[in-house]
Amino acid sequence: MSGTPGRARLVLASASPRRRDLLAQIGAAPDVIAPADIDETERPGETPRALALRLAQDKLAAARHDGAYVLASDTVVGAGRRILPKTETREEAEACLRLLSGRNHRVFTGVAVRAPDGREASKVVETRITFKRLSEEEIASYLESGEWRGGQGRRLWRARPRRRLCDQDDRLLYRRGRSAGL
């Protein structure tokens, strides 16, 4: 899309390398990467689904790029009504892994899109995950790998279980882009 005459620009309101990768997988490259600076603090009583949608919509509202397609999204992991934090320390990552080990949980991806004419659409996709029971060795190995660090934040799994999530995210981004005229 970049540099195509007569075509509206695509703005990605995210700093996440994973979001750029997802767009690339469907043949879309953002012309502008403009991460939205918003408060991502969960509100009292807010569910994981509601948080994912609100964050995507808040990022979209903060991204002011007239005449462009703007795509914003956020992902939240919920275990029951509990929202898992973005893991910033090894201890937080370990606590989350132990909480998820052997449990079912849900991953909510909120996506919000604005077309050049100002029309907006948003949606949340929910993926149910059964996390295998992790051995002490698997927990230690994962923590040692450092894969829990960085832009993926709330998502602690980056290997095998993630494939299904990525495929679902790709389909959602593709459908939202198509419905917005990309």
Side-chain angles (χ1 to χ4, degrees):
M1 275 178 224
S2 184
T4 305
R7 206 120 157 126
R9 295 176 307 135
L10 173 60
V11 176
L12 178 60
S14 172
S16 168
R18 184 68 196 139
R19 302 281 183 239
R20 288 192 302 269
D21 291 347
L22 290 171
L23 286 171
Q25 289 177 19
I26 61 170
D31 298 296
V32 177
I33 298 171
D37 184 22
I38 64 164
D39 179 6
E40 296 190 17
T41 305
E42 67 186 85
R43 295 177 179 158
E46 192 167 37
T47 64
R49 172 184 290 281
L51 177 61
L53 182 60
R54 179 178 60 82
L55 293 177
Q57 291 172 335
D58 286 357
K59 287 178 180 182
L60 185 67
R64 289 287 153 213
H65 295 273
D66 294 335
Y69 290 99
V70 181
L71 174 64
S73 65
D74 207 297
T75 298
V76 175
V77 176
R81 291 185 55 89
R82 181 174 178 178
I83 296 170
L84 273 65
K86 289 186 176 182
T87 55
E88 296 180 16
T89 68
R90 183 182 176 108
E91 291 74 26
E92 288 174 330
E94 182 175 358
C96 288
L97 285 171
R98 291 188 184 285
L99 174 69
L100 295 174
S101 179
R103 288 187 64 176
N104 294 320
H105 63 282
R106 296 171 190 213
V107 177
F108 300 92
T109 300
V111 177
V113 180
R114 182 184 314 115
D117 64 6
R119 288 177 299 131
E120 294 184 4
S122 57
K123 181 175 183 166
V124 175
V125 167
E126 174 184 333
T127 303
R128 295 175 190 197
I129 305 289
T130 300
F131 210 92
K132 74 176 233 165
R133 184 164 308 282
L134 299 173
S135 68
E136 290 300 316
E137 293 79 23
E138 288 170 316
I139 291 172
S141 175
Y142 186 80
L143 292 171
E144 192 60 35
S145 76
E147 288 187 42
W148 54 270
R149 288 187 187 98
Q152 297 308 311
R154 291 181 177 98
R155 291 193 210 180
L156 290 172
W157 52 94
R158 292 182 71 156
R160 292 177 200 92
R162 222 182 120 152
R163 162 79 45 202
R164 185 167 151 222
L165 292 178
C166 296
D167 292 345
Q168 185 156 356
D169 284 349
D170 290 346
R171 289 192 302 272
L172 176 63
L173 287 172
Y174 180 75
R175 284 194 311 269
R176 285 286 139 202
R178 295 285 293 183
S179 68
L182 290 176

